[in-house]
Amino acid sequence: VRVHAITNAAAQVFTANLLLATGATPSLTIAADEVAAFTERAEALLINLGTLDEERRAAIPRAIATARSQRKLWVLDPVFVDASPPRLDFAKLCLTYGPTILRCNAGEFMALAEEDASPDHVRAFARGQGCVVALTGPTDIVSDGERIIAIYNGHPLMTRVTAMGCAATALLAAFSALHDDALEAAAAALLVTGIAGEIAAEQAKGPGSFQPTFLDTLFALDPVTLTARGRHS
Amino acid sequence: VRVHAITNAAAQVFTANLLLATGATPSLTIAADEVAAFTERAEALLINLGTLDEERRAAIPRAIATARSQRKLWVLDPVFVDASPPRLDFAKLCLTYGPTILRCNAGEFMALAEEDASPDHVRAFARGQGCVVALTGPTDIVSDGERIIAIYNGHPLMTRVTAMGCAATALLAAFSALHDDALEAAAAALLVTGIAGEIAAEQAKGPGSFQPTFLDTLFALDPVTLTARGRHS
Amino acid sequence: VRVHAITNAAAQVFTANLLLATGATPSLTIAADEVAAFTERAEALLINLGTLDEERRAAIPRAIATARSQRKLWVLDPVFVDASPPRLDFAKLCLTYGPTILRCNAGEFMALAEEDASPDHVRAFARGQGCVVALTGPTDIVSDGERIIAIYNGHPLMTRVTAMGCAATALLAAFSALHDDALEAAAAALLVTGIAGEIAAEQAKGPGSFQPTFLDTLFALDPVTLTARGRHS
């Protein structure tokens, strides 16, 4: 499955390596006059708003327009919208184009939804936006506006490595392209990420060795381990 | 040996680390008004067309012009030209400026040469362009239009790490600056890459640990290992 | 402690991971219309002049202006000013805005100060500029124009990994935000970097495994190790 990722400068390499480790094929260009061609040949599009420079600002609407015209799924990751007013405006504009999945943390959710990140608010926001919301944190909450799934896997060391959440969003995009139900796809991607993070944290000596160990773990992850380790509602 | 690399966002760090591991000195700026100064002080120039944004589009012709005016060798890596029509046009323009070596995979070769990537077609294209063509894949084919060398080293795990091919192209550039015969330099660089990839794949647990292990292996590679492991025509 | 880093494309990921490993919170955007917001919420600003493209050129003066208006400390890393005349001009302009700390190597110092990098010249330049100068090399020299500290820790393998110096500068920024005395903060950051580098070099097999091992070491570093290992005047 091909994923075109317009993502931030700190996340590009890890996003590509995570997708490759799971068997997906990434492309990463942010050039405004090329993103349409790359989006057309991909099965899913990832829009991440980190390091939102001029080139990315110009490319993102074109990539989204291509995805929409082909009824292709796309995932929005509004990184740090709680820190930058112009980025918040841009994220709200992106939301009006109807992402399949919105992946964010509690601070970003609060900036977008103007509500705290309780499960009820997540579900209400998902219903209002007509998309799946995947809220990550110590407990992940995924909702499509009706159903709601909580995922308890993960490890604190995951917050000590840059772009872990951004790269996980790429996995959401890849899984969504392989599964008709976006809610289940999002929940499965977060479950896989959390379980791989736990296993890697057990084996790593710190945040440096955690990252290669995480990719090795993802690469080798099997259904039996997933079933045995998974903790979700 | 100094290599100035105008390369894509996913490849910059790994390219720099690969060059440093082999004893070369990288520089990476893509700023249009700086690439002439960095190209002047380098012994070789690498042009990689991944993530071809405005800044890179402006910088690449200036860097090539500097290299040409100083009769300095330069290597072209036309990443993903098979995926983006404007990039293919740009790559064809670059080819008219006479790269010393063209490094590409089969899909990129087919887009540029409009022929399938058979050894005969590789040789014919090299002759027509007046450059060395280094085609990488399960078997690497290198030709200067007359001679042809096949290299059988390598490992499938190399395709599960982003920018492995892009970083290998930087090694071609470094080796070419140290050796008068561009064909032999290109073949030696691909042989070293393939052997280091095999050794690293034997030691790594997956694509995550493969990358640091690959750099450690390159750093420690000795002539005896190269001679014992090398498989080529 | 939050550090906003406008740094080069090869250093962004490692800078973020180094800050996270030490407990600091990085942000990395280079977008000209966002750097003011990110600088406002950070306790320190890092300006690194590598890969100085148009976007960074536009963003850097805005970020510095924000830091100055809030009397916030900021650190300048004039990467490769000895290689690019337009970058040297830009660095000199930055210096007129009064960085708290200037971190550079001998070649960069010579380009800026037009003197060789002796301890006396470092002290004189620090006095003239009214900032702390942190000169890194086999021996690090830190001076505020009066006092001078020499640090002897470190390992040659640190020069075989890209962006090691750039990432260390981020640690200077973080430490400076936590300690009133910029000279002592800069010296402590270089001491920590050098000691972690020595320990990682003892454990690593080469430059590839050095980088994750370095981050693991930083993450676990304790005062007893620092006291036992530190070698400085």
Side-chain angles (χ1 to χ4, degrees):
Chain A
V1 56
R2 284 174 174 159
V3 178
H4 186 66
I6 300 182
T7 190
N8 69 75
Q12 288 179 303
V13 171
F14 192 38
T15 298
N17 280 330
L18 182 149
L19 288 170
L20 287 166
T22 57
T25 301
S27 57
L28 295 170
T29 194
I30 61 162
D33 68 348
E34 292 193 306
V35 291
F38 279 95
T39 302
E40 276 174 23
R41 64 198 286 282
E43 278 80 45
L45 173 68
L46 163 63
I47 301 293
N48 174 300
L49 303 186
T51 64
L52 193 62
D53 47 34
E54 283 302 310
E55 187 91 27
R56 285 174 170 89
R57 276 183 179 272
I60 287 169
R62 295 194 197 185
I64 292 174
T66 303
R68 279 167 60 88
S69 73
Q70 300 193 329
R71 301 180 176 280
K72 201 164 277 187
L73 70 92
W74 65 284
V75 181
L76 179 65
D77 190 338
V79 180
F80 265 149
V81 284
D82 44 336
S84 166
R87 193 181 296 186
L88 181 59
D89 292 342
F90 192 84
K92 286 180 174 173
L93 183 66
C94 290
L95 268 181
T96 66
Y97 292 115
T100 315
I101 306 175
L102 170 70
R103 206 287 301 170
C104 56
N105 65 25
E108 294 151 3
F109 179 86
M110 284 190 282
L112 285 168
E114 297 172 12
E115 299 273 15
D116 66 71
S118 70
D120 280 352
H121 288 147
V122 169
R123 179 161 46 191
F125 192 68
R127 189 183 303 125
Q129 297 292 326
C131 72
V132 168
V133 174
L135 182 93
T136 53
T139 298
D140 302 331
I141 303 288
V142 187
S143 178
D144 62 357
E146 301 293 331
R147 297 168 291 171
I148 193 158
I149 300 174
I151 297 160
Y152 306 103
N153 293 95
H155 191 278
L157 209 50
M158 298 169 79
T159 65
R160 302 295 282 268
V161 175
T162 195
M164 180 58 74
C166 303
T169 310
L171 201 60
L172 266 76
F175 276 38
S176 304
L178 298 171
H179 194 339
D180 279 342
D181 186 324
L183 178 88
E184 290 181 8
L190 293 181
L191 194 72
V192 163
T193 303
I195 291 172
E198 287 175 8
I199 296 172
E202 289 164 12
Q203 297 177 359
K205 292 179 186 164
S209 51
F210 176 80
Q211 192 169 321
T213 308
F214 177 80
L215 292 172
D216 287 353
T217 303
L218 263 187
F219 181 70
L221 212 54
D222 59 72
V224 173
T225 305
L226 286 173
T227 307
R229 288 254 188 182
R231 290 176 288 124
H232 58 89
S233 68
Chain B
V1 56
R2 285 173 173 159
V3 178
H4 187 67
I6 300 181
T7 190
N8 68 75
Q12 288 179 303
V13 171
F14 192 38
T15 298
N17 280 331
L18 182 148
L19 287 170
L20 288 166
T22 57
T25 302
S27 57
L28 296 170
T29 194
I30 61 162
D33 68 347
E34 291 193 306
V35 291
F38 279 95
T39 302
E40 275 173 25
R41 64 199 287 281
E43 277 81 45
L45 172 68
L46 164 63
I47 301 293
N48 175 300
L49 303 186
T51 64
L52 194 62
D53 48 34
E54 282 302 309
E55 187 92 27
R56 286 174 170 88
R57 277 183 178 271
I60 288 170
R62 295 193 197 185
I64 293 174
T66 304
R68 281 167 60 88
S69 74
Q70 300 193 327
R71 301 180 175 280
K72 202 164 277 186
L73 69 92
W74 66 283
V75 181
L76 179 65
D77 190 338
V79 179
F80 265 148
V81 284
D82 44 334
S84 167
R87 193 181 296 186
L88 181 60
D89 292 342
F90 191 85
K92 286 180 174 171
L93 183 66
C94 289
L95 268 181
T96 65
Y97 293 115
T100 315
I101 306 176
L102 170 70
R103 207 286 304 170
C104 57
N105 66 24
E108 294 150 3
F109 180 85
M110 286 189 282
L112 285 168
E114 296 172 13
E115 300 272 14
D116 67 70
S118 70
D120 280 352
H121 288 148
V122 169
R123 178 159 50 189
F125 192 68
R127 190 183 302 124
Q129 297 292 327
C131 71
V132 168
V133 174
L135 183 94
T136 54
T139 298
D140 301 331
I141 303 289
V142 187
S143 179
D144 62 357
E146 301 293 330
R147 297 169 292 171
I148 194 158
I149 299 174
I151 296 160
Y152 306 105
N153 293 94
H155 191 279
L157 209 51
M158 297 169 80
T159 65
R160 302 295 282 268
V161 176
T162 195
M164 180 58 73
C166 303
T169 310
L171 202 59
L172 266 77
F175 276 38
S176 304
L178 298 170
H179 194 340
D180 280 342
D181 186 324
L183 177 87
E184 290 181 7
L190 293 180
L191 194 72
V192 163
T193 304
I195 291 172
E198 287 175 8
I199 295 172
E202 289 164 12
Q203 297 177 0
K205 292 180 187 166
S209 51
F210 176 80
Q211 192 169 320
T213 308
F214 177 79
L215 292 172
D216 287 353
T217 304
L218 262 187
F219 181 69
L221 213 54
D222 59 72
V224 173
T225 305
L226 287 172
T227 306
R229 287 254 188 182
R231 290 175 288 124
H232 58 88
S233 67
Chain C
V1 57
R2 285 174 173 158
V3 178
H4 187 66
I6 300 181
T7 190
N8 69 76
Q12 287 179 305
V13 172
F14 193 38
T15 298
N17 281 330
L18 182 149
L19 288 170
L20 287 166
T22 57
T25 301
S27 57
L28 296 169
T29 194
I30 61 163
D33 67 348
E34 291 194 306
V35 291
F38 280 95
T39 302
E40 276 174 24
R41 64 198 287 281
E43 277 80 45
L45 172 69
L46 164 64
I47 301 294
N48 174 301
L49 303 186
T51 64
L52 193 62
D53 47 34
E54 283 302 310
E55 188 92 26
R56 285 174 170 87
R57 277 183 179 273
I60 288 170
R62 295 193 198 186
I64 293 174
T66 304
R68 281 165 60 87
S69 73
Q70 300 193 328
R71 301 180 177 280
K72 201 164 277 187
L73 69 91
W74 66 283
V75 181
L76 179 65
D77 190 337
V79 179
F80 265 149
V81 284
D82 43 336
S84 166
R87 193 180 297 186
L88 181 59
D89 291 343
F90 192 84
K92 286 180 174 173
L93 183 66
C94 289
L95 269 181
T96 65
Y97 293 114
T100 316
I101 305 176
L102 170 71
R103 207 288 302 171
C104 56
N105 66 25
E108 293 150 3
F109 179 86
M110 285 190 282
L112 286 168
E114 296 173 13
E115 300 272 14
D116 67 71
S118 71
D120 281 352
H121 289 147
V122 169
R123 178 159 50 189
F125 192 68
R127 190 183 303 123
Q129 298 291 328
C131 71
V132 167
V133 175
L135 182 93
T136 54
T139 298
D140 301 331
I141 302 288
V142 187
S143 178
D144 61 357
E146 301 293 330
R147 296 168 292 169
I148 193 159
I149 299 175
I151 296 159
Y152 306 104
N153 293 94
H155 191 278
L157 209 50
M158 298 169 80
T159 65
R160 302 295 283 267
V161 175
T162 196
M164 180 57 74
C166 303
T169 309
L171 201 60
L172 266 76
F175 276 39
S176 303
L178 299 170
H179 194 339
D180 279 342
D181 186 325
L183 177 88
E184 289 181 9
L190 294 180
L191 194 73
V192 163
T193 303
I195 291 171
E198 287 175 9
I199 295 172
E202 289 164 12
Q203 297 177 0
K205 293 180 186 165
S209 50
F210 176 80
Q211 193 168 319
T213 308
F214 177 79
L215 292 172
D216 287 352
T217 304
L218 263 187
F219 181 70
L221 212 54
D222 59 72
V224 173
T225 304
L226 286 173
T227 306
R229 287 254 188 181
R231 290 176 288 125
H232 57 89
S233 66

